[in-house]
């Protein structure tokens, strides 16, 4: 963990573009509430193949309207250099100076990857287009990306993204803290020297969490899973237990010197505010 301790801590929030009118009302309120916490930035996801192009833009605009630093995600699979170039131009006009660069996953039934195959190619392209002053975040996987042939190969891929010009990384969420510590140490041994910010998933709904975790390869440890199963529909107990577990995870990460936290908000402010207060966090230093 030593290499991570030198970076100033920053806290960021991730949203997804709402699909319904109710979702649009919720996100406006969520952004208002979370803006009060003065995060370093707020990011918004982007569907692979451009499926949420308008929704992502609209959400980024809502963030900018609240005088917050907006960081759009850009996925490259199924896309082209022309499309990415236009996206970068549109975002630059909004004042965006940093993006999260990802491969994404091809939607079911689609097999043409387009002009990019992996995220490192997107990082190279963005660096060429935007120069050195533009910030590029990438994803990394302490519990190993589900399609990686091996843990070693996954770190080599992460290294390619850093070599291509990524400034900072956000991890997939995890509940096994040792996976993060080991990953960071292995990155250090592999000469990867950028902040590796833990992605934090609040626990508020077991069914949804189990579904996400199956898809993205994040393990829910048995001792957590069993308790969440026991709570059944008792959402209040799930939330109270989730707050204990996740705030303890965050506290141990911060005490060990991680360079901040990136919260997957799922467009809800209450679980994030509860964590923030439990941890006694402040905005960027
Ligand atoms: P890559 O870094 O390209 O890696 C993908 C896989 O390919 C890995 O298994 C890697 O080891 C392997 N690989 C890479 N290069 C090679 C190579 N040359 N040869 C063989 N194998 C290789 N998804 C969305 O659709 N929209 C979002 O906005 C979004 N935001 C995310 C934010 C974060 C912080 C995280 C952690 C994930 C996010 N995702 C998002 C999910 C992400 O798109 C998926 O996890 C996707 O499967 C991989 O994206 P990547 O950028 O990590 O891909």
């Amino acid at each position: 963990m030593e290499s991570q301790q030198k970076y100033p801590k920053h806290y960021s929030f991730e949203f997804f573009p709402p699909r319904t009118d109710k979702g649009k009302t919720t996100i406006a309120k969520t952004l208002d509430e979370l803006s009060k916490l003065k995060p370093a930035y707020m990011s918004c996801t982007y569907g692979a193949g451009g499926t949420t192009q308008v929704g992502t833009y609209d959400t980024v605009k809502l963030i900018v309207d609240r005088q917050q630093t907006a960081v759009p995600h850009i996925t490259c699979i199924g896309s082209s250099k022309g499309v990415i170039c236009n996206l970068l131009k549109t975002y630059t006009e909004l004042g965006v100076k940093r993006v999260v660069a990802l491969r994404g996953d091809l939607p079911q039934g689609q097999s043409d990857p387009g002009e990019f195959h992996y995220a490192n190619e997107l990082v190279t392209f963005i660096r060429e287009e935007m120069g050195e002053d533009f910030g590029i975040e990438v994803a990394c996987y302490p519990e190993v990306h589900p399609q990686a042939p091996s843990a070693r190969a996954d770190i080599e891929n992460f290294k390619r993204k850093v070599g291509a010009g990524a400034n900072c990384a956000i991890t997939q969420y995890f509940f096994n803290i040792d996976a993060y510590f080991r990953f960071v140490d292995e990155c250090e041994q592999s000469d990867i020297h950028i902040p590796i910010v833990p992605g934090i998933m609040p626990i508020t709904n077991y069914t949804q969490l189990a579904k996400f975790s199956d898809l993205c390869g994040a393990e829910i440890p048995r001792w957590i899973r069993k308790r969440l199963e026991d709570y059944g529909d008792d959402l209040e107990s799930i939330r109270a237990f989730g707050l204990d577990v996740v705030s303890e995870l965050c506290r141990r990460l911060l005490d060990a010197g991680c360079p901040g936290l990136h919260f997957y908000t799922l467009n809800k402010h209450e679980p994030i505010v509860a964590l923030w207060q439990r941890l006694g966090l402040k905005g960027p230093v």
Side-chain angles (χ1 to χ4, degrees), residues 72-259:
H73 295 207
I74 296 182
T75 59
C76 62
I77 200 82
S79 192
S80 68
K81 292 185 174 174
V83 168
I84 304 287
C85 217
N86 280 336
L87 265 184
L88 290 169
K89 189 165 169 284
T90 314
Y91 285 138
T92 309
E93 283 163 10
L94 269 184
V96 164
K97 294 193 174 69
R98 183 174 183 175
V99 293
V100 184
L102 302 137
R103 183 195 71 174
D105 296 300
L106 267 182
Q108 263 196 342
Q110 199 177 319
S111 57
D112 180 6
E115 283 187 88
F116 300 93
H117 299 87
Y118 296 106
N120 66 297
E121 297 162 25
L122 177 63
V123 175
T124 302
F125 182 71
I126 296 174
R127 233 342 127 235
E128 283 166 6
E129 291 295 309
M130 306 306 289
E132 289 305 313
D133 293 338
F134 203 73
I136 304 179
E137 308 262 339
V138 289
C140 62
Y141 302 84
E143 294 183 310
V144 186
H145 185 269
Q147 291 158 7
S150 68
R152 186 72 247 148
D154 212 24
I155 290 190
E156 285 307 317
N157 171 53
F158 179 29
K159 191 171 175 174
R160 269 194 294 276
K161 297 195 274 194
V162 177
N167 308 100
C168 187
I170 307 165
T171 74
Q172 183 56 273
Y173 69 86
F174 56 88
F175 300 107
N176 292 313
I177 199 166
D178 289 335
Y180 173 79
F181 291 149
R182 177 162 285 272
F183 179 74
V184 163
D185 286 345
E186 286 176 356
C187 287
E188 195 177 327
Q189 284 155 21
S190 300
D191 273 331
I192 293 173
H193 303 295
I194 61 170
I196 301 174
V197 178
I200 302 298
M201 180 64 88
I203 299 178
T204 54
N205 175 322
Y206 177 52
T207 317
Q208 190 187 39
L209 182 70
K211 197 170 130 203
F212 281 166
S213 303
D214 276 352
L215 287 172
C216 73
E219 188 185 63
I220 308 177
R222 182 180 161 84
W223 65 274
I224 297 181
R225 194 160 38 83
K226 284 288 171 199
R227 280 173 180 80
L228 292 173
E229 282 169 5
D230 285 350
Y231 291 131
D233 294 334
D234 179 359
L235 290 184
E236 206 174 308
S237 297
I238 293 180
R239 280 190 206 121
F241 172 71
L243 179 59
D244 280 350
V245 169
V246 178
S247 58
E248 171 71 15
L249 173 70
C250 294
R251 175 50 51 218
R252 289 179 63 202
L253 285 164
L254 291 169
D255 287 350
C258 76

